[in-house]
Amino acid sequence: MNDLLAQFVVEARELLEEAAADLLALERAPDDEAAVNRVFRSVHTLKGSSGLFDARPLTEVLHAAEDIFQAVREHTLALRPEMVDLALKALDQVGLWIDQLELHEVLAPGAPKIAKILAGDLRAQFPQPNAAKPVETGAALRAEAAPVASDAGRWFDAATLRAAAEAAEPGGASLISYLPEGTCFFRGEDPLHLMLQIPQLQAFVIDPPASGAPLAELDPFNCDLRLYALSAADPAELEALFRYVPEQVTIRLLGAADPTATPGSAAAGAGLPALVQALLREQIEMLAVDTPEEELAGRIAAAAAVVANALRFCGEVEAAVRIAAGVAAAPEDRRRETLRDAIAGLVAPAAPQADDVLATAPGPATVAARAAPADAAEPAAPRTLRVEQAKVDALMTLIGELVVAKNSLPFLARRASVQYGLRDFGREISDQYGTIDRIAQELRGAVMAVRMMPVGQVFQRFPRLVRDLARKLGKEVDLVIEGGETQADKNVIETLFDPLLHMVRNSLDHGIETPDNRIACGKPATATVRLTARHEADRVEIEVIDDGRGIDPEAIKRKAYERGVIDQTRFATISDDEATMLVFAAGLSTAETISDVSGRGVGMDVVRNAVEKAGGRISIRSVLGKGTTVRLNLPLSMAVSRVMTVALGERLFGVPMDLIHATVKVPRDDVVSIRGKQAFVLRERVVPLVDLAGLLDLPEAAIDKAGDADEVAVLVVSVANETIGLAVSAFGEGMEVILKPLEGVLAGIDGYIGTALLGDGRVLLVLDLKELMR
Amino acid sequence: MTIGRDGDTVLLEDVCAVDDAEALMGHLQAGATRIDWSGCTHLHTACLQVMLAARVPIRGTPANPLLARWLGPLLDAGAATALPETASPLEV
């Protein structure tokens, strides 16, 4: 895929996400002008860049959406809920198309048809022209003036627009378009006088369409001028000034993106969007490459087509036509030069366009550079660098190796002093080791920080989801998100989405009652679902809290018994809390009916498995009639695991630290046999004792003396909610390791999570106890 | 009289109202090749329209600072582009 398209895909996804979020905000508060502006800007920017690619249907839909939000922000169209629905639908479709572009670089064949329907639906939101009453001619004129007004760049160059926007901080400058009626002089109107009264006038131009006509043909009393001005004043103030001629004047607040996004045709090239400039430069380079005679014509035609397309899409129709005609008119052997010069003429010279030149370098940092001076109200985007994850992973692997290499230094120090009798030298090595160890730790911390992402990245997908689901189910739900800034490792964040999705779906489908039901129960009709995240020591805790009907432990118990998940004894003795936990058991769904939203009895146990796989824990708390809280507790990072080493004879194994409950030495006499199985008493509980060597099928010979000692070393672990004692030969030390999964022919072997390198070069096998206990 | 004539120069004085546009146009059609608007305090849109269409050199700085600041550059540019025979349509 070419770089430009790749960049577009990334940017498009961001813009779509932003637009969707703003649309949802608008749905809650339709008067939020800032949100309207943001939606418009996102859609506008997206439309602008989409024009560079072979994606006409996509551009068409975006264009229709852009028109709507333009009208909304000019108050010529009132925002209605169904418009938000439609716009969201359109954005979803655009998202699908972006996926297609990323995969195939072209849209699916059905796209034009879909685009037509969508664009048609969008345009149908505008009042039909023939439905307009005669009284509304003012509004009609205003609508007619709108396309002219939208084109601030036609009348003012980028520098002027930027200066005006700066002067207008933080509100943004307004473009005033005064299109006087021909007969206005007879009504005593003086457009020029009014325009000069504009408070905080920043720039002013007059467009005399009849200027080409000879003086003799001029009718001095027929006004044939159009006046445009930029003002930094409050739009309300401007409206007051023009209150007597509202039908001839359009006042439009200019957004931050406008100055560069709608370039002036007068200063062609100077105001071309950065993306277009980059594209044009690319064509120049392409033309400069030596090409075989027979391919040259094709290459020139291709470049000319790209340039013409690019220009058309940023409104430079004239320039596009000029280039096409110029190339066609040039003699065949001069075409390459003609085209190259024409493009070079369009691309702005570097000096006066410092901003734009900067902006040709891809990346979000440049977006900030472009947007920040124009609209101070918008928080500057953080300066970021896009890096492929593989590169960070490679760095992480290298650091892992560094840690291992570093860990061999203490061995070396010991050898120096013990084997060679160089004590001082050994101590010196130890000192050096301390320094290297510290740097390695910091290095690891720094790279881990690179991999950290805010949980909000996952959370932000939920407002839309909850809204759609709630609507589908006929429920009213408020989603509250807290702690979105909490950070965790990228891998952890990524494993989070599916479990959360299941949980939120479950909440909405099974937990939340219908509004009628809720009112009958004395609750507010609108339910609240909270998604919260926070740090708990070195873990991150995420909760999904709803105030729905809660889980009935009796019902769960019964169902679990019916399905054979628990036996009769358990049914009789199980506590309510334990019963609630049964929702995580496989094959249990309490909903009366199976809907397409959730509930085929696969949901919650899938959630549990996914969370546990990521090294997390899940718990649930519920009060019947009050609501349910599901809590996920995940490690901050999956890259580094804490393990404890245990010895079985000569061999070392690792056990994940988070499973370990305690390490105890049990006198051999205290181990009792119950029906052939061993157990011991720990804190007044009977704990089954399992021989780890036996579990791993290790040959008896390897476990020397274990049977002879009068104490047994027991690692007490809790696996799948059961406490088990593992008999081992000796305890080793706890350490942080970078786990590598078993690969190649070893990949199929059960019982091990992965391997880690020890400081002395040995490989540590880390046990998957859950798997072993099965 | 707010529209005067001094040789080939049209003089704009005080308030140039909508009615003065016709007189201004008359002078320009009758051989005046320059406009001096030093005394002008108010210029009606209609007069401005005539000035823009005539594209003759403008002299002086009008008494009204608003006129000087915002219209000066426009009229200068208009006159400048008017000088060559092949002048393109007025671009401001």
Side-chain angles (χ1 to χ4, degrees):
Chain A
M1 186 166 37
N2 87 35
D3 286 352
L4 210 58
L5 181 58
Q7 192 196 337
F8 169 68
V9 166
V10 174
E11 276 184 11
R13 293 221 173 97
E14 276 173 14
L15 286 167
L16 283 174
E17 235 165 57
E18 282 168 23
D22 287 327
L23 279 170
L24 293 181
L26 270 181
E27 195 169 50
R28 283 191 298 275
D31 298 332
D32 187 348
E33 297 220 356
V36 173
N37 278 330
R38 283 198 304 268
V39 172
F40 172 78
R41 226 173 290 153
S42 301
V43 174
H44 176 88
T45 312
L46 194 52
K47 186 206 78 174
S49 12
S50 73
L52 297 172
F53 308 100
D54 189 15
R56 199 164 276 272
L58 191 152
T59 315
E60 194 180 325
V61 169
L62 288 171
H63 191 83
E66 181 193 13
D67 283 352
I68 285 204
F69 287 98
Q70 164 126 357
V72 169
R73 80 194 201 138
E74 284 173 358
H75 301 291
T76 53
L77 190 63
L79 189 70
R80 294 186 306 274
E82 60 265 32
M83 282 156 63
V84 173
D85 276 348
L86 255 179
L88 281 172
K89 205 170 122 194
L91 293 185
D92 283 348
Q93 182 59 53
V94 170
L96 283 179
W97 282 333
I98 298 283
D99 293 346
Q100 290 174 9
L101 279 179
E102 190 183 27
L103 284 176
H104 315 298
E105 303 196 21
V106 285
L107 299 183
K113 214 165 133 193
I114 302 173
K116 211 164 167 187
I117 298 171
L118 268 178
D121 286 350
L122 285 168
R123 299 222 185 272
Q125 298 303 312
F126 283 101
Q128 297 307 305
N130 51 4
K133 285 173 238 139
V135 204
E136 288 175 349
T137 45
L141 266 174
R142 198 191 260 256
E144 197 181 297
V148 180
S150 71
D151 212 352
R154 269 182 74 189
W155 312 113
F156 302 100
D157 60 31
T160 311
L161 286 170
R162 218 167 6 236
E166 261 163 22
E169 275 175 29
S174 296
L175 171 72
I176 300 121
S177 315
Y178 196 160
L179 313 182
E181 288 167 36
T183 55
C184 69
F185 294 161
F186 295 102
R187 291 196 299 265
E189 291 167 13
D190 186 351
L192 174 63
H193 182 65
L194 265 180
M195 287 301 258
L196 292 179
Q197 306 294 306
I198 291 174
Q200 299 186 55
L201 185 58
Q202 299 294 321
F204 176 60
V205 294
I206 296 173
D207 173 40
S211 62
L215 192 58
E217 285 169 24
L218 179 74
D219 175 356
F221 300 121
N222 180 42
C223 184
D224 201 8
L225 298 176
R226 292 177 192 171
L227 303 89
Y228 302 92
L230 287 178
S231 164
D234 187 53
E237 224 178 307
L238 298 170
E239 259 156 32
L241 176 66
F242 294 104
R243 64 193 178 280
Y244 297 119
V245 287
E247 67 285 353
Q248 301 172 49
V249 174
T250 314
I251 298 164
R252 193 165 71 86
L253 204 57
L254 296 176
D258 286 27
T260 40
T262 54
S265 55
L272 287 179
L275 206 57
V276 173
Q277 295 210 17
L279 193 77
L280 295 183
R281 287 202 184 90
E282 213 169 74
Q283 302 311 314
I284 296 183
E285 277 168 31
M286 210 180 85
L287 286 170
V289 175
D290 276 333
T291 317
E293 204 65 39
E294 61 275 17
E295 284 176 24
L296 188 59
R299 182 164 285 198
I300 291 174
V306 169
V307 171
N309 263 336
L311 289 172
R312 256 187 213 109
F313 267 104
C314 47
E316 304 286 351
V317 182
E318 269 180 59
V321 172
R322 208 166 55 225
I323 288 211
V327 172
E332 216 146 295
D333 56 331
R334 293 280 312 149
R335 273 189 191 167
R336 188 194 329 210
E337 288 69 29
T338 312
L339 181 59
R340 203 183 51 208
D341 295 349
I343 302 173
L346 283 169
V347 181
Q353 286 296 323
D355 280 2
D356 286 336
V357 172
L358 266 180
T360 53
T366 60
V367 176
R370 225 181 322 160
D375 190 350
E378 193 101 316
R383 287 187 72 91
T384 54
L385 193 64
R386 278 188 216 287
V387 180
E388 267 175 68
Q389 190 180 343
K391 290 183 183 168
V392 180
D393 288 348
L395 208 52
M396 201 71 208
T397 310
L398 285 175
I399 290 166
E401 284 174 25
L402 177 67
V403 169
V404 170
K406 165 209 81 170
N407 283 347
S408 65
L409 286 179
F411 289 89
L412 184 66
R414 206 172 310 145
R415 262 178 65 191
S417 51
V418 176
Q419 203 171 332
Y420 300 105
L422 302 167
R423 275 192 149 199
D424 288 347
F425 186 48
R427 200 171 300 132
E428 231 168 274
I429 294 179
S430 287
D431 285 351
Q432 292 298 322
Y433 167 74
T435 315
I436 297 175
D437 183 50
R438 180 179 54 77
I439 296 173
Q441 299 278 356
E442 283 175 15
L443 193 57
R444 202 188 61 194
V447 176
M448 299 235 297
V450 170
R451 296 175 49 95
M452 289 289 185
M453 277 169 40
V455 179
Q457 297 233 341
V458 172
F459 282 2
Q460 72 188 12
R461 294 162 75 175
F462 281 93
R464 173 74 196 278
L465 241 144
V466 166
R467 165 192 178 275
D468 287 357
L469 268 183
R471 196 168 282 203
K472 201 167 180 178
L473 295 166
K475 296 174 180 177
E476 288 171 26
V477 180
D478 250 355
L479 179 71
V480 180
I481 289 178
E482 287 162 9
E485 71 288 345
T486 311
Q487 297 220 326
D489 188 83
K490 185 164 188 284
N491 284 350
V492 175
I493 300 271
E494 277 168 358
T495 53
L496 209 55
F497 180 68
D498 282 338
L500 277 180
L501 178 64
H502 271 300
M503 281 152 54
V504 170
R505 272 186 185 160
N506 264 317
S507 262
L508 259 71
D509 202 12
H510 307 318
I512 306 284
E513 313 90 330
T514 55
D516 297 345
N517 262 335
R518 288 181 63 87
I519 291 170
C521 298
K523 297 184 191 179
T526 304
T528 308
V529 172
R530 311 172 90 81
L531 270 179
T532 69
R534 63 172 173 276
H535 279 144
E536 279 285 331
D538 60 343
R539 300 177 74 88
V540 56
E541 200 164 271
I542 289 159
E543 287 182 328
V544 180
I545 308 165
D546 70 53
D547 62 350
R549 60 168 73 93
I551 295 172
D552 182 359
E554 287 301 319
I556 293 269
K557 238 177 1 183
R558 229 174 13 252
K559 189 144 277 175
Y561 177 59
E562 281 164 16
R563 301 265 169 94
V565 177
I566 54 172
D567 57 23
Q568 200 159 6
T569 340
R570 191 107 171 93
F571 179 74
T573 57
I574 194 167
S575 73
D576 279 1
D577 282 349
E578 284 173 313
T580 312
M581 284 299 285
L582 282 174
V583 294
F584 294 118
L588 207 73
S589 175
T590 52
E592 300 303 317
T593 53
I594 284 171
S595 70
D596 68 333
V597 174
S598 67
R600 264 176 207 82
V602 291
M604 287 310 251
D605 65 310
V606 169
V607 169
R608 190 193 58 190
N609 286 343
V611 170
E612 287 181 353
K613 208 162 195 169
R617 291 189 294 266
I618 190 164
S619 63
I620 189 164
R621 241 183 13 241
S622 182
V623 180
L624 191 58
K626 290 271 168 59
T628 306
T629 299
V630 185
R631 176 182 296 170
L632 304 184
N633 187 293
L634 290 156
L636 275 183
S637 161
M638 284 158 68
V640 173
S641 317
R642 287 174 58 79
V643 300
M644 178 161 181
T645 54
V646 294
L648 287 176
E650 286 297 305
R651 303 171 66 165
L652 279 183
F653 291 93
V655 176
M657 198 68 101
D658 54 348
L659 297 179
I660 297 174
H661 210 62
T663 55
V664 289
K665 296 227 169 179
V666 183
R668 189 152 289 281
D669 296 344
D670 289 358
V671 177
V672 293
S673 267
I674 307 173
R675 287 206 204 163
K677 291 187 176 169
Q678 292 191 307
F680 68 99
V681 176
L682 177 69
R683 291 181 205 128
E684 291 160 24
R685 275 181 73 182
V686 176
V687 176
L689 181 66
V690 180
D691 190 21
L692 186 57
L695 210 56
L696 294 169
D697 288 334
L698 289 183
E700 289 288 332
I703 313 128
D704 53 340
K705 292 171 283 182
D708 309 337
D710 40 0
E711 273 186 339
V712 189
V714 178
L715 193 64
V716 184
V717 293
S718 96
V719 179
N721 293 321
E722 280 188 70
T723 307
I724 297 167
L726 295 173
V728 298
S729 307
F731 303 120
E733 54 202 4
M735 58 174 75
E736 291 194 335
V737 293
I738 293 174
L739 265 189
K740 296 242 161 73
L742 293 173
E743 282 167 347
V745 284
L746 298 177
I749 300 180
D750 286 339
Y752 300 100
I753 306 174
T755 62
L757 272 182
L758 292 177
D760 55 359
R762 279 193 290 170
V763 174
L764 182 73
L765 283 164
V766 180
L767 301 174
D768 184 349
L769 290 179
K770 250 168 268 170
E771 196 68 44
L772 282 173
M773 293 298 166
R774 257 173 217 165
Chain B
M1 195 61 180
T2 56
I3 305 283
R5 175 82 180 255
D6 179 9
D8 53 8
T9 304
V10 185
L11 303 173
L12 303 184
E13 306 275 349
D14 302 324
V15 174
C16 299
V18 60
D19 301 350
D20 298 317
E22 209 164 13
L24 172 62
M25 196 167 137
H27 283 299
L28 289 167
Q29 280 173 321
T33 56
R34 233 179 299 172
I35 295 172
D36 187 328
W37 66 338
S38 311
C40 182
T41 55
H42 174 89
L43 187 71
H44 191 272
T45 316
C47 298
L48 173 72
Q49 186 171 250
V50 172
M51 288 164 76
L52 284 169
R55 281 179 281 158
V56 295
I58 310 291
R59 222 171 52 189
T61 305
N64 180 342
L66 278 178
L67 291 180
R69 169 152 183 217
W70 297 113
L71 293 184
L74 295 184
L75 290 165
D76 282 347
T81 55
L83 289 177
E85 274 303 302
T86 55
S88 58
L90 179 62
E91 273 184 33
V92 285

